Amino acid sequence: MFGQIFAALVSGIATGMPLFIVASGLTLIYGVMRVLNFAHGAFFMIGAFLFYNVLGGVTGSISLLIVGLLIAALSVGAIGAVSEVAVFRRLYARDHTTTLLASYALLLTLDGLVQQIWGVSPRSQTQLPAFAGSFQILGVRVATYDVVLIGVGAVLAIGLTLLLQRTSFGQTTRAVAHDQTMARALGLHARGVQLAVFALGAALAGLAGGLISPLLSIDPSLAPTFVVQSFAIVIVGGLGSMGGALIAALLIGLLDSFAVTFFPGFAGFSLYIAVTLVLLLRPQGIFGAAFASREA
Amino acid sequence: MNAETPVLEVQDVYKSFGPSHAVQGVSFTVRAGETLALIGPNGAGKSTMFGLAAGEHRADKGTISYQGHNATRWPASRRCRNGLSRTFQVASFFGTRTVRENLLLAVESARGHPFAFWDTFSSGHQKATRVDEMLVRLSLHDYSALRADRLAQGDRKRLEFAMALVQQPKLLLLDEPTAGMSLEDIQQTIDMLRSVKEANPQLAIVLTAHDMEVIFSVSDRVLLMGQGKLLLEGTPAEVEAAPLTKELYLGVSAS
């Protein structure tokens, strides 16, 4: 029994961490610009495809994996920056519906672009031998890559918190999130911050795409799947809340892995059950109105 | 820039929002050390004119020069980093941060390089001294560790004012600095403005106000606006005496 619970715990956290990375970008963009970006799923998908291209589908070295992740993150970050300038910048003053529609249009455009470049047939990225195995902790088998996922997620969670709370950039970003007009009047580069935050949010999606591509079939269905999952996490955690995204992603990962272990019948539904419960009981999310309007 | 160059020079500026022509061909200058009041009834265009000067709106036509530089297309942030500070009608600050943190942020942002990821936002000695002096000057030192949203109404305005002043501006724009204030708070604001002018004889101030007493007590010149145009310019006494003012601004018929 203990073995089962521990295994479900580890695999739940490992499932939740990449979801956190995707959702952190989404919630960051919402928190600062109030943009609900449907194209976030496409950012994620492009990250997965780019990572696949760098590693070529075959097993590579750890350094190649790192290069692949960096290329996925930086290229998708650049795509995010271009989308900000070309699409979103002119829409910040409009209402949510307009930006939501624009981001949906961007999702469809990027999706079409991906199908043009990579086609529709699924690809798979072989896991690196160094990470393909598993090892024993407390008598329980733990997949090596699960530990990698947990490690990267934890590092990013800490890094993002430090960035937002402790650095000058974070201070500026929170000021812009609080009140753009006032931030400008105080001399802050609100535009630059918006561009940087959009690029950073997109880069996080690209990184997550690369990071979990060895576990998935890489095809154009990734975008809708992950946009739904990351929206679910952001809703459960509270729109704009970084801590909320982390807790919600872990919760949903754990719910999923415990459902698989103990109630296999619910396995596919656990996400929707969680979202429904949260929307019924606490519509603003667990940490609702945290990062963004906590400032207000 | 020589002493003759106006701090702010507005030349034939136009601004429309859709079919509404908010500002139509307004020109005026503000020199160092001068305090200018923009007055007019609601819808006269003074708020838009103020927004154009602050960089909140961009002029459709005409130029806005700032210390001799054409700043028409400068965003608000760039104007601020070049010495223009402003306050808002509703006091704006960061509610969840302390009074002192708000002032530190104001100093920090006027310095302007937010992409210093490595910068840990530590309080440099000089910066901290400036902030602490300002806290004392505006009698906010007792509240320096208080969350800004816990401040009383009058103190909120003072905090916003302190945030603008601590940036050591050359031009200060005050949007309705006494709006919604009690008589006592209005008097305090007037005293504060006077002491600020005394302490900074080179500081140019542009303010919008409804309250005649404020306008009289602090401004050197008054601009009366109506329907987007500049109708009258003069000393407070001249403008107040003009029949047009009574008709337009005070809502009294000139006849």
Side-chain angles (χ1 to χ4, degrees):
Chain A
M1 187 67 186
F2 165 78
Q4 263 186 321
I5 293 179
F6 186 73
L9 208 64
V10 173
S11 117
I13 297 175
T15 310
M17 276 307 191
L19 293 178
F20 159 69
I21 303 172
V22 195
S24 69
L26 189 67
T27 211
L28 186 68
I29 289 173
Y30 180 82
V32 179
M33 272 86 74
R34 303 292 186 278
V35 167
L36 283 168
N37 181 22
F38 261 118
H40 205 68
F43 291 163
F44 170 86
M45 170 174 68
I46 293 170
F49 272 106
L50 285 171
F51 182 81
Y52 170 85
N53 265 31
V54 174
L55 274 78
V58 295
T59 58
S61 60
I62 293 182
S63 47
L64 197 60
L65 172 110
I66 294 170
V67 170
L69 287 179
L70 283 177
I71 288 182
L74 294 176
S75 318
V76 176
I79 295 172
V82 171
S83 337
E84 202 270 345
V85 174
V87 181
F88 293 102
R89 168 164 295 180
R90 55 203 78 219
L91 299 177
Y92 292 146
R94 307 282 188 85
D95 60 7
H96 285 322
T97 339
T98 317
T99 43
L100 206 63
L101 280 175
S103 74
Y104 189 62
L106 184 64
L107 170 70
L108 296 177
T109 310
L110 291 174
D111 196 50
L113 217 61
V114 164
Q115 295 193 22
Q116 283 294 317
I117 297 171
W118 284 287
V120 287
S121 53
R123 287 139 211 261
S124 57
Q125 171 60 47
T126 314
Q127 186 59 276
L128 265 57
F131 296 139
S134 59
F135 57 92
Q136 296 264 353
I137 306 177
L138 305 170
V140 176
R141 281 230 150 258
V142 171
T144 312
Y145 202 60
D146 279 0
V147 179
V148 173
L149 292 175
I150 294 173
V152 174
V155 166
L156 278 174
I158 295 169
L160 283 170
T161 308
L162 290 177
L163 177 70
L164 289 171
Q165 300 294 332
R166 294 266 175 262
T167 66
S168 200
F169 174 77
Q171 291 279 338
T172 309
T173 303
R174 284 160 58 209
V176 173
H178 169 77
D179 184 341
Q180 218 196 97
T181 312
M182 176 186 155
R184 285 220 171 93
L186 277 178
L188 296 170
H189 295 272
R191 266 203 195 148
V193 166
Q194 289 164 336
L195 182 64
V197 166
F198 218 100
L200 176 62
L204 286 165
L207 179 75
L211 198 61
I212 48 174
S213 57
L215 306 175
L216 300 167
S217 150
I218 307 166
D219 63 61
S221 76
L222 283 180
T225 311
F226 272 83
V227 87
V228 169
Q229 294 203 5
S230 47
F231 265 78
I233 287 158
V234 169
I235 289 167
V236 170
L239 277 166
S241 164
M242 194 57 81
L246 179 62
I247 302 289
L250 294 181
L251 203 70
I252 282 169
L254 288 170
L255 215 63
D256 186 60
S257 79
F258 276 88
V260 168
T261 312
F262 298 104
F263 312 99
F266 285 106
F269 303 105
S270 54
L271 172 75
Y272 305 102
I273 296 172
V275 174
T276 311
L277 281 177
V278 166
L279 283 178
L280 282 172
L281 301 173
R282 202 175 151 75
Q284 74 273 38
I286 300 172
F287 288 80
F291 170 68
S293 6
R294 191 175 354 120
E295 292 284 330
Chain B
M1 168 186 144
N2 62 49
E4 295 303 305
T5 313
V7 177
L8 178 70
E9 187 167 16
V10 174
Q11 284 170 310
D12 202 25
V13 161
Y14 286 79
K15 177 73 187 175
S16 300
F17 299 101
S20 117
H21 304 293
V23 169
Q24 305 177 59
V26 171
S27 306
F28 63 89
T29 56
V30 188
R31 293 181 188 283
E34 197 179 29
T35 300
L36 186 88
L38 269 177
I39 67 168
N42 285 331
K46 58 184 193 306
S47 285
T48 306
M49 190 57 247
F50 190 89
L52 287 166
E56 202 179 312
H57 308 308
R58 192 165 285 180
D60 298 334
K61 221 174 101 183
T63 54
I64 294 175
S65 306
Y66 177 61
Q67 296 186 294
H69 304 285
N70 184 347
T72 317
R73 301 185 67 80
W74 287 10
S77 50
R78 185 166 175 198
R79 295 184 197 206
C80 176
R81 290 194 301 277
N82 283 281
L84 183 156
S85 295
R86 69 166 294 187
T87 66
F88 292 83
Q89 247 179 69
V90 177
S92 298
F93 45 78
F94 299 101
T96 56
R97 300 190 212 177
T98 67
V99 168
R100 194 163 188 280
E101 282 168 352
N102 269 282
L103 288 185
L104 279 169
L105 183 69
V107 177
E108 184 85 358
S109 48
R111 210 180 45 141
H113 41 82
F115 296 104
F117 291 90
W118 53 90
D119 187 343
T120 52
F121 201 71
S122 59
S123 47
H125 178 69
Q126 204 195 347
K127 207 164 73 183
T129 316
R130 237 163 90 185
V131 165
D132 291 331
E133 277 171 12
M134 189 54 66
L135 285 168
V136 173
R137 239 176 90 192
L138 291 190
S139 328
L140 286 165
H141 48 285
D142 287 342
Y143 311 122
S144 77
L146 193 72
R147 262 176 62 144
D149 55 7
R150 305 266 158 83
L151 287 174
Q153 200 54 45
D155 295 329
R156 289 178 176 215
K157 280 274 186 191
R158 275 223 300 284
L159 167 61
E160 199 196 21
F161 208 73
M163 286 168 74
L165 280 180
V166 82
Q167 295 188 318
Q168 301 179 329
K170 297 187 175 74
L171 174 62
L172 184 60
L173 301 183
L174 307 171
D175 196 3
E176 297 280 357
T178 55
M181 278 192 179
S182 66
L183 283 177
E184 192 188 339
D185 283 341
I186 290 178
Q187 194 49 53
Q188 266 191 15
T189 307
I190 291 173
D191 295 343
M192 184 173 72
L193 278 171
R194 280 186 174 144
S195 76
V196 164
K197 284 175 67 167
E198 235 163 77
N200 311 273
Q202 285 301 301
L203 176 66
I205 302 176
V206 175
L207 56 93
T208 62
H210 273 99
D211 197 308
M212 275 297 176
E213 196 186 338
V214 179
I215 295 158
F216 263 98
S217 324
V218 298
S219 55
D220 306 308
R221 263 189 316 134
V222 177
L223 301 183
L224 173 69
M225 284 186 71
Q227 297 186 325
K229 290 178 179 135
L230 195 59
L231 301 177
L232 205 60
E233 180 174 354
T235 64
E238 284 165 5
V239 171
E240 206 215 11
L244 191 62
T245 312
K246 293 198 173 72
E247 187 186 338
L248 259 177
Y249 184 58
L250 305 173
V252 182
S253 169
S255 58

